[in-house]
Amino acid sequence: MLPMKRPAPAPAGGKIFFPMAHAQPMTIPLDLTWVRSQFPSLAQSVNGQAAVFLDGPGGTQVPQRVIDAISGYLAHDNANTGGAYHTSRNTDRMIGEARSAMGDFLNCDADEVVIGANMTSLTYAMSMAIGRDLGPGDEIVVTLLDHDANFSPWKALEEKGVIVRAAKFNPVDCTLDMADLARQITNHTRLVAVGYASNAVGTINDVAEVVRLAREAGALSYIDAVHYAPHGLIDARALDCDFLACSTYKFFGPHMAVLYGKRAHLQRLVPYKLRPNTNSIPNCWEWGTLNHECIAGIKACVEYWEELGRRANPSAASRRAAIVAAHAAIHQHERVLMEKMIAGLTAIPGLKLYGIRDRQRFDERCATFAVRVDGQTPLELATKLGERGFFTWDGNYYAINVTEQLDVERSGGFLRIGLVHYNTAEEVERLLAALGEIVV
Ligand SMILES: Cc1ncc(COP(=O)(O)O)c(C=O)c1O
């Protein structure tokens, strides 16, 4: 049995619900010209129209320095780890630096950062390891608002007799039903898995409260921060969660992912691993040879965040302080875009916007919008928009419980419009104008 009955300390840093709570007073707004100049792919056009990347929730674009770091690694340091020669040593050093950069991004120590191919495989690796100690009589709580990557890996433990309970969400505003979640957590609960933000409808969950509820019951908390990471500051220490996973390709890095695990858990739990692999953390949690060139890209991605932050706050005293400032600038910018987008979308007749629409509650959502239009499928809409240079997504984007609960799964899911910090007010206006033409 897992030794989970721990005391329940108050969350460090007080209430840490929404990104606003992290925002420092901003004097320098986001330098959007500089931001966009960093991302070469943004300059593309489609059918003579400037491309508008509204597909951030599926994966963001990368700054030039990430591209350079990946090709630079392959040109100069391409080697496996642990060898007694120059390029291998450079690789070891670079991976250590990337880990410590991600430690600053998440606010944890470098040896608490596990690098993996993607969030899904990291979560399966962790569910298998945690599941070693679980069986009949143990329970796990998941939510119906989550991406399937924070659902199915835990559901898989039903094979061992574990009961997996799913907390509901409120279909009117697509927010987590916290009372239901609290009811599902019992003294049999061993783990609570929850998303920081919904990749389908943009809701930001009160994860600090979920972590508190889990801890109070003696259960572990596992946070899926994949969708939240490009929008809000992650502070693993202040959150005091046990695990938190995110994918670097959603916050301007390469196609990889990282998992924060509290050192004590990474040391105590037994990973499924190959025998010759080291027993030391975090390496014992990393399967096979990693994508070293992309790890070089992860380091460059954090350097991008750092530079963005130093431009927003030139007196930032550390890399972490710069990342905090970057998030504050991003939050301010995305908020303006979000207000414009929601005002525009809700003014289009026949268009239904899901999730929070009340301006007073915009701190509880990020700039990700799920919409449906009478008489047109999401795929038809995405195709028409795609021809005009707007890159949106259609379907369930693996948040299949959400589309099923809202009864849109059989009719094509949603059209998803996702904004990140490199999007502009002009792009929002263009999108709204195009939608206005397409919808009538
Ligand atoms: C909220 C959320 N969680 C998890 C995932 C899965 O991430 P990965 O592709 O790294 O496995 C995604 C991917 O879209 C996501 O949006």
Side-chain angles (χ1 to χ4, degrees), residues 57 118-120 147 149 197 199 224 226-227 247 249-250 257:
N118 48 58
M119 181 274 184
T120 303
H147 185 286
N199 70 316
D224 171 1
V226 172
H227 190 68
S247 309
Y249 72 94
K250 309 281 192 180

Side-chain angles (χ1 to χ4, degrees), residues 24 31 136 229 253 328 353 388 417 428:
Q24 293 187 336
D31 179 353
L353 169 65
R388 295 169 188 232
I417 304 158
V428 173

Side-chain angles (χ1 to χ4, degrees), residues 1-6 126-127 129-131 133-134 139-142 154 185-186 188-194 210-223 240-244 261-262 264-266 268-269:
M1 191 54 56
L2 295 171
M4 289 173 189
K5 292 283 176 201
R6 286 171 279 124
M126 202 44 79
S127 80
I130 289 173
D133 297 329
L134 302 183
E139 298 179 4
I140 288 180
V141 175
V142 294
W154 307 113
I185 299 175
T186 70
H188 297 289
T189 307
R190 302 291 168 242
L191 181 136
V192 181
V194 68
V210 178
V211 170
R212 194 192 66 73
L213 289 169
R215 194 188 310 113
E216 208 170 66
L220 298 171
S221 51
Y222 192 99
I223 312 296
D240 201 25
C241 56
D242 296 294
F243 300 96
L244 182 145
K262 269 190 183 161
H265 298 320
L266 295 182
R268 174 178 57 79
L269 291 163

